[in-house]
């Protein structure tokens, strides 16, 4: 019926009703999460005309519940969850008002019920929406969908190897994940840090990718680190590093020339200076995290076939030369507010420190870096 009414021009009345029902259930679960038990145990709350409580549902055997499921058509909760989700200008208002509450409802149920959470981990809807609304070229970090999709994904990354693998291989490392074009979420022209933060969470959550002593070879093969390198992730992150560094150089040239090109308060819709600094730090951080758990001979093998290694090494050397005076001029020129100065200064220090750690790692691998190494530099595990 919904399809016959046509969704492409506008959301039909039945879609609005479903959105309002989802809003109601999401509000109800925020008041009492135990109400969600009846959803995940037995999606139809009525059996032979009699109301069933969540406690009663909890005592029903799997065989009887399966028979109940067969007897009730359609499944109320199942049909409710068949949400038509799409992007596009014509659905922006609907997505801001109702679709984000759909994902908040899924997150509430997933956080409280393991079986439902496992189902969400395996289903492609969540990661598709994350890519479409947040990570891709048409995504946004300011949409109402950001909070449930992004922070829910961080939670799922911590919980599930299945979700980590799906997100990493199908969206973060897929070179056609951005609208079917040969552009990756890390190499797209849009400057955003969301993909980098998720990749950092993947590395941090992978039990086989911890950052103490070098991993045994078998552990490396099973880890997200191995998946990352096998899919050419190092080149993707290198492009991300250079993308943010190029914008940083543009900003610094603007400081020296007296021509503003970005930052809070700057015109033209340019990227905030804080996003550039954070993006550069996260790119360098993810690069370091992808190499640090490996043994020296493994790093040497990777660096020997890594085309951007010299560019990254030179860039790290340059980043170490920025001093407080240069940073301060940039803060002033780009109208960084007084309440932001300290946090931005911390980010610039982190960029310089991370660049030093990357160079230190390079210098520990003899014969692979053809440009000047930092003598005696050594990377310490955090």
């Amino acid at each position: 019926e919904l399809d016959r009414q046509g969704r492409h021009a506008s959301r039909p009345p039945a879609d609005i009703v479903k959105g309002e029902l989802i809003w109601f259930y999401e509000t109800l679960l925020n008041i009492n999460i135990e109400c969600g038990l009846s959803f995940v145990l037995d999606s139809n709350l009525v059996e032979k005309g009699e109301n069933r409580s969540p406690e009663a549902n909890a005592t029903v055997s799997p065989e009887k519940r399966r028979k109940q499921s067969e007897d009730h058509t359609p499944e109320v909760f199942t049909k409710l969850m068949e949400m038509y989700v799409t992007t596009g200008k014509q659905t922006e208002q609907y997505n801001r008002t109702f679709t984000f509450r759909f994902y908040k409802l899924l997150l509430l149920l997933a956080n409280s019920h393991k079986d439902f959470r496992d189902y969400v981990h395996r289903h492609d809807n969540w990661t598709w929406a994350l890519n479409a609304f947040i990570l891709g070229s048409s995504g946004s970090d300011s949409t109402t969908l950001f909070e449930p999709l992004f922070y829910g994904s961080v939670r799922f990354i911590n919980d599930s190897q299945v979700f980590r693998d799906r997100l990493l291989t199908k969206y973060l490392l897929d070179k056609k994940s951005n609208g079917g074009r040969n552009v990756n979420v890390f190499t797209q022209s849009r400057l955003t840090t969301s993909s980098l933060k998720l990749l950092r969470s993947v590395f941090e959550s992978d039990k086989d990718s911890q950052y103490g002593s070098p991993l045994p070879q078998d552990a490396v093969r099973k880890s997200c680190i191995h998946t990352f390198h096998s899919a050419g992730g190092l080149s993707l992150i290198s492009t991300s590093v250079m993308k943010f560094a190029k914008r940083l150089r543009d900003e610094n040239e603007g400081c020296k020339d007296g021509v503003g090109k970005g930052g809070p308060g700057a015109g033209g819709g340019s990227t905030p200076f804080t996003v550039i600094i954070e993006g550069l730090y996260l790119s360098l951080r993810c690069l370091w995290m992808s190499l640090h758990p490996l043994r020296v001979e493994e790093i040497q093998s990777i660096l020997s076939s890594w085309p951007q290694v010299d560019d990254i090494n030179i860039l790290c050397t340059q980043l170490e030369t920025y001093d407080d005076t240069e940073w301060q001029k940039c803060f002033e020129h780009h109208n960084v507010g007084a309440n932001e100065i300290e946090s931005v200064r911390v980010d610039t220090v982190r960029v310089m420190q991370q660049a030093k750690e990357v160079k230190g790692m390079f210098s520990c691998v003899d014969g692979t870096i053809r440009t000047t190494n930092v003598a005696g530099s050594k990377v310490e595990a955090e």
Side-chain angles (χ1 to χ4, degrees):
E1 180 62 27
L2 289 173
D3 291 335
R4 284 197 296 270
Q5 292 183 44
R7 286 192 176 95
H8 294 293
S10 62
R11 301 301 291 246
D15 268 357
I16 304 297
V17 172
K18 177 178 280 192
E20 290 174 339
L21 283 170
I22 286 172
W23 191 344
F24 168 76
Y25 283 127
E26 184 254 332
T27 303
L28 181 64
L29 264 62
N30 272 312
I31 296 172
N32 182 4
I33 192 62
E34 291 304 316
C35 294
L37 187 64
S38 57
F39 291 166
V40 296
L41 289 180
D42 184 0
S43 58
N44 196 309
L45 306 184
V46 180
E47 180 186 17
K48 297 180 181 179
E50 297 179 356
N51 292 329
R52 296 186 55 81
S53 67
E55 291 77 12
N57 280 316
T59 63
V60 176
S61 68
E63 292 77 12
K64 187 173 182 180
R65 192 176 301 127
R66 191 160 43 249
K67 181 65 167 57
Q68 291 172 1
S69 176
E70 294 170 355
D71 290 342
H72 296 294
T73 305
E75 293 279 352
V76 175
F77 183 65
T78 300
K79 300 301 288 186
L80 184 68
M81 290 295 98
E82 290 176 356
M83 185 75 167
Y84 181 84
V85 180
T86 183
T87 60
K89 290 290 184 182
Q90 71 276 13
T91 59
E92 282 183 352
Q93 181 60 45
Y94 186 90
N95 290 334
R96 282 195 301 268
T97 307
F98 298 116
T99 303
F100 96 100
R101 294 190 179 277
F102 170 70
Y103 288 105
K104 287 182 71 175
L105 176 60
L106 293 185
L107 190 57
L108 281 168
L109 292 169
N111 286 343
S112 302
H113 305 285
K114 184 181 183 303
D115 289 344
F116 189 84
R117 182 167 63 247
D118 291 343
Y119 178 78
V120 175
H121 291 167
R122 295 190 301 271
H123 202 286
D124 197 42
N125 177 277
W126 187 281
T127 45
W128 175 88
L130 175 70
N131 185 67
F133 290 110
I134 310 299
L135 305 182
S137 59
S138 60
S140 171
D141 293 349
S142 59
T143 175
T144 55
L145 284 152
F146 181 85
E147 181 179 348
L149 286 172
F150 180 80
Y151 292 108
S153 295
V154 172
R155 169 69 187 271
F156 294 161
I157 285 170
N158 292 332
D159 288 344
S160 171
Q161 179 70 46
V162 171
F163 186 84
R164 285 197 296 272
D165 290 343
R166 176 185 293 275
L167 179 64
L168 188 64
T169 57
K170 195 165 184 178
Y171 293 98
L172 294 183
L173 297 179
D174 184 8
K175 293 175 182 163
K176 293 185 179 179
S177 64
N178 195 354
R181 295 176 293 130
N182 192 27
V183 179
N184 176 265
V185 292
F186 298 120
T187 62
Q188 63 182 332
S189 59
R190 174 180 170 236
L191 292 186
T192 174
T193 60
S194 298
S195 300
L196 293 164
K197 289 175 180 176
L198 292 177
L199 180 61
R200 180 180 61 179
S201 293
V202 167
F203 288 156
E204 289 174 342
S205 301
D206 191 352
K207 293 180 180 179
D208 290 327
S209 300
Q210 299 304 309
Y211 302 101
S213 302
L215 291 172
Q217 185 64 38
D218 290 343
V220 171
R221 288 199 183 101
K222 293 184 289 186
S223 71
C224 287
I225 296 293
H226 177 263
T227 302
F228 176 82
H229 288 296
S230 298
L234 201 57
S235 290
L236 296 175
I237 293 300
S238 299
T239 302
S240 179
V241 170
M242 302 309 294
K243 177 176 68 174
F244 282 102
K246 181 180 185 303
R247 185 62 65 88
L248 176 64
R249 285 196 293 266
D250 290 344
E251 302 297 340
N252 285 343
E253 286 303 315
C255 292
K256 295 172 184 177
D257 298 339
V259 179
K261 295 185 180 181
S270 54
T271 305
F273 186 69
T274 51
V275 172
I276 296 169
I277 293 297
E278 184 183 31
L280 182 55
Y281 163 73
L282 288 169
S283 298
L284 288 169
R285 180 67 179 168
C286 289
L287 189 153
W288 180 84
M289 293 176 79
S290 74
L291 293 171
H292 187 261
L294 305 179
R295 297 179 177 277
V296 171
E297 58 270 21
E298 293 167 333
I299 299 175
Q300 185 172 15
S301 175
I302 290 172
L303 297 188
S304 64
S305 59
W306 178 19
Q308 299 101 326
V309 61
D310 287 338
D311 292 336
I312 297 295
N313 193 52
I314 292 170
L315 173 64
C316 289
T317 302
Q318 293 172 343
L319 289 172
E320 288 186 281
T321 66
Y322 285 115
D323 57 30
D324 290 341
T325 302
E326 288 177 308
W327 288 124
Q328 186 61 38
K329 288 179 180 178
C330 285
F331 300 159
E332 294 172 358
H333 187 80
H334 295 287
N335 301 319
V336 178
N339 60 332
E340 298 177 291
I341 287 289
E342 289 306 314
S343 62
V344 173
R345 194 182 300 278
V346 169
D347 285 339
T348 60
V349 172
R350 290 197 304 170
V351 166
M352 296 171 70
Q353 179 61 31
Q354 194 62 66
K356 180 179 180 181
E357 291 184 348
V358 172
K359 263 190 73 71
M361 181 183 298
F362 289 169
S363 69
C364 290
V365 183
D366 295 333
T368 59
I369 302 299
R370 291 176 294 281
T371 54
T372 304
N373 288 320
V374 177
S377 179
K378 184 178 180 181
V379 176
E380 298 293 340
E382 290 192 351

